[in-house]
């Protein structure tokens, strides 16, 4: 089954052609990040207008890359939420119009299910597994018992980890979106130069990032009273933040897996692209016989349409489009 999938939930305009939920025939992404960087964050109205300007070209490019015509497509999918409403409407309306014209089914996709499904792309992963979903809006540990049976084991009580990365990056003077740049900066720093707090939460699988964020802000103010930090100080603060922010992800995810007697772990969402997250999980599972670790290719971590096509295939039931999709047992 070949699905043409669209993604326009935030500031990436994307189209992909996915076969049977795993094989990627085309994956086209146009990021608006450079445009929004001028304003230090995404301007929703402008994001929607830019999607509208580019979506047709992106679809044409995906069809060309996938060497196929609309006739050869079996269904058309789009992200319905959560996300920026104006931006979402562009992808959803385009997909629904194509579905109407071609008389092929329309499949609505939930963005969080799509991030989880990015792990099915070009891989053999099947449930059950524990999924750590880390993005700009979410930090959740999920028990994926089956493709459509997902339970929330824990989540952030305040900021999402991607949000914390972006805020700390801004403190350090990096442009939007700061997460990937902060990750790069951290790789040249000394994580032991400073000790930052590891947040404690009442529930063992919950997270909290607001205290860490404030601690970095105080540290920055102390170290850089004149507001022009040396490159070394910037790198060391970035490294210490990265260490504290990621340690807790690995510890809690492993604990959740052990307590559910599951030895397969997958990571999803934009922050799954983070070098420390990828390295630390691989190191932690090295030598643990029988354990499996899945992480999507970098191009499938941040928002893309390939994961939307995978989710449309594996989660074909009408998906709940609200943010609170996963509930605790
Ligand atoms: O999944 P995504 O593209 O959008 C949401 O659904 O939120 O995730 C975007 C988030 C941003 O906060 C971005 O700064 C963060 O993922 N991010 C990273 C890295 N790459 C993207 N954070 C840390 N390290 C990275 N390498
Ligand atoms: Zn996302």
């Amino acid at each position: 089954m070949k699905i043409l999938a669209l993604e326009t939930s935030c500031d990436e305009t994307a189209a992909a052609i996915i076969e049977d939920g795993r094989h990627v025939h085309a994956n086209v992404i146009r990021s608006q990040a450079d445009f929004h960087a001028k304003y230090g964050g995404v301007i929703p109205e402008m994001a929607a207008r830019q999607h509208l300007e580019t979506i047709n070209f992106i679809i044409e490019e995906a069809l060309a890359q996938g060497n196929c015509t609309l006739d050869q497509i079996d269904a058309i999918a789009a992200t319905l939420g959560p996300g920026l409403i104006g931006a979402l409407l562009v992808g959803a309306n385009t997909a629904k119009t194509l579905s109407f014209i071609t008389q092929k089914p329309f499949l609505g996709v939930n963005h969080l299910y799509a991030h989880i499904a990015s792990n099915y792309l070009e891989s053999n992963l099947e449930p059950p597994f524990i999924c750590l979903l880390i993005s700009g809006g979410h930090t959740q540990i999920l028990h994926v018992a089956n493709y459509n049976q997902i339970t929330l084991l824990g989540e952030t009580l305040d900021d999402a980890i991607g949000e914390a990365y972006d805020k700390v990056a801004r403190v350090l003077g990096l442009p939007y979106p700061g997460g990937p740049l902060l990750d790069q900066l951290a790789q040249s720093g000394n994580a032991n130069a400073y000790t930052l707090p590891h947040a404690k939460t009442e529930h063992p699988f919950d997270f909290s990032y607001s205290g860490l964020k404030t601690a970095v802000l105080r540290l920055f103010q102390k170290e850089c009273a004149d507001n022009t930090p040396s490159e070394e100080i910037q790198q060391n603060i970035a490294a210490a933040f990265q260490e504290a922010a990621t340690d807790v992800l690995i510890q809690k995810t492993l604990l959740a897996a052990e307590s559910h007697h599951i030895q397969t772990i997958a990571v999803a969402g934009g922050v799954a692209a983070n070098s420390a997250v990828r390295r630390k999980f691989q190191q932690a599972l090295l030598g643990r016989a029988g354990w499996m670790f899945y992480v999507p290719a970098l191009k499938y971590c941040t928002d893309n349409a390939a994961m939307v096509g995978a989710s449309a295939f594996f989660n074909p039931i009408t998906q709940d489009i609200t943010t609170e999709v996963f509930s605790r047992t």
Side-chain angles (χ1 to χ4, degrees):
M1 182 185 189
K2 259 190 192 173
I3 296 178
L4 168 65
L6 307 182
E7 155 63 32
T8 63
S9 68
C10 190
D11 62 342
E12 267 92 20
T13 317
I17 298 169
I18 306 301
E19 188 164 358
D20 296 341
R22 294 195 190 262
H23 310 293
V24 183
H25 290 281
N27 182 42
V28 181
I29 306 174
R30 182 189 170 273
S31 171
Q32 306 171 2
D34 286 349
F35 173 84
H36 297 289
K38 296 196 279 279
Y39 307 99
V42 179
I43 311 282
E45 169 79 13
M46 296 310 292
R49 284 171 188 267
Q50 294 215 359
H51 288 314
L52 201 54
E53 272 172 29
T54 49
I55 188 92
N56 284 7
F57 302 114
I58 301 292
I59 294 170
E60 277 172 2
E61 207 176 317
L63 289 169
Q65 205 181 84
N67 207 7
C68 85
T69 61
L70 270 180
D71 288 348
Q72 294 163 310
I73 296 290
D74 299 302
I76 297 151
T79 311
L80 291 184
L84 305 173
I85 188 67
L88 285 163
L89 282 173
V90 176
N93 271 334
T94 307
K96 284 199 171 184
T97 307
L98 286 175
S99 149
F100 181 79
I101 292 168
T102 58
Q103 292 294 295
K104 317 246 166 147
F106 167 79
L107 304 169
V109 168
N110 177 290
H111 189 66
L112 304 186
Y113 275 84
H115 271 303
I116 297 168
S118 63
N119 275 288
Y120 305 138
L121 293 165
E122 292 165 348
S123 96
N124 58 2
L125 174 65
E126 288 177 7
F129 58 92
I130 295 293
C131 185
L132 173 69
L133 176 55
I134 39 178
S135 69
H138 292 84
T139 308
Q140 301 187 326
I141 299 181
L142 302 163
H143 176 200
V144 184
N146 221 316
Y147 290 104
N148 293 297
Q149 198 189 331
I150 302 174
T151 316
L152 179 69
L153 302 182
E155 66 182 334
T156 184
L157 303 175
D158 38 61
D159 290 359
I161 182 166
E163 198 182 343
Y165 260 89
D166 293 338
K167 286 179 181 167
V168 167
R170 196 181 302 177
V171 168
L172 293 180
L174 303 172
Y176 169 86
L181 297 171
L182 184 53
D183 181 10
Q184 257 176 32
L185 202 61
Q187 290 175 50
S188 332
N190 171 13
N192 298 321
Y194 307 106
T195 307
L196 289 167
H198 285 59
K200 300 238 177 337
T201 53
E202 197 174 319
H203 190 283
F205 307 145
D206 282 342
F207 302 94
S208 167
Y209 280 103
S210 70
L212 176 60
K213 184 189 68 192
T214 311
V216 174
L217 180 62
R218 294 229 176 87
L219 175 64
F220 182 85
Q221 285 163 343
K222 191 173 129 241
E223 290 288 66
C224 321
D226 58 357
N227 255 345
T228 47
S230 71
E231 201 179 350
E232 191 189 350
I233 289 181
Q234 268 194 323
Q235 288 167 347
N236 289 348
I237 294 179
F241 167 75
Q242 177 133 298
E243 189 75 2
T246 56
D247 271 355
V248 68
L249 296 175
I250 285 86
Q251 287 161 11
K252 294 195 173 198
T253 308
L254 286 180
L255 199 64
E258 280 161 0
S259 72
H260 285 77
H261 310 289
I262 290 178
Q263 298 192 327
T264 305
I265 290 175
V267 186
V271 188
N274 182 268
S275 63
V277 170
R278 299 170 91 91
R279 175 175 42 83
K280 286 182 185 182
F281 267 114
Q282 260 141 9
Q283 282 171 352
L285 294 178
L286 208 71
R288 284 198 185 209
W291 284 72
M292 296 291 288
F293 175 60
Y294 289 82
V295 64
L298 288 178
K299 61 187 170 203
Y300 304 136
C301 289
T302 42
D303 293 346
N304 65 85
M307 67 184 191
V308 177
S311 180
F313 181 81
F314 286 107
N315 316 113
I317 49 169
T318 309
Q319 295 181 11
D320 182 350
I321 62 157
T322 63
T323 8
E324 308 301 327
V325 271
F326 306 123
S327 46
R328 297 189 195 239
T329 38

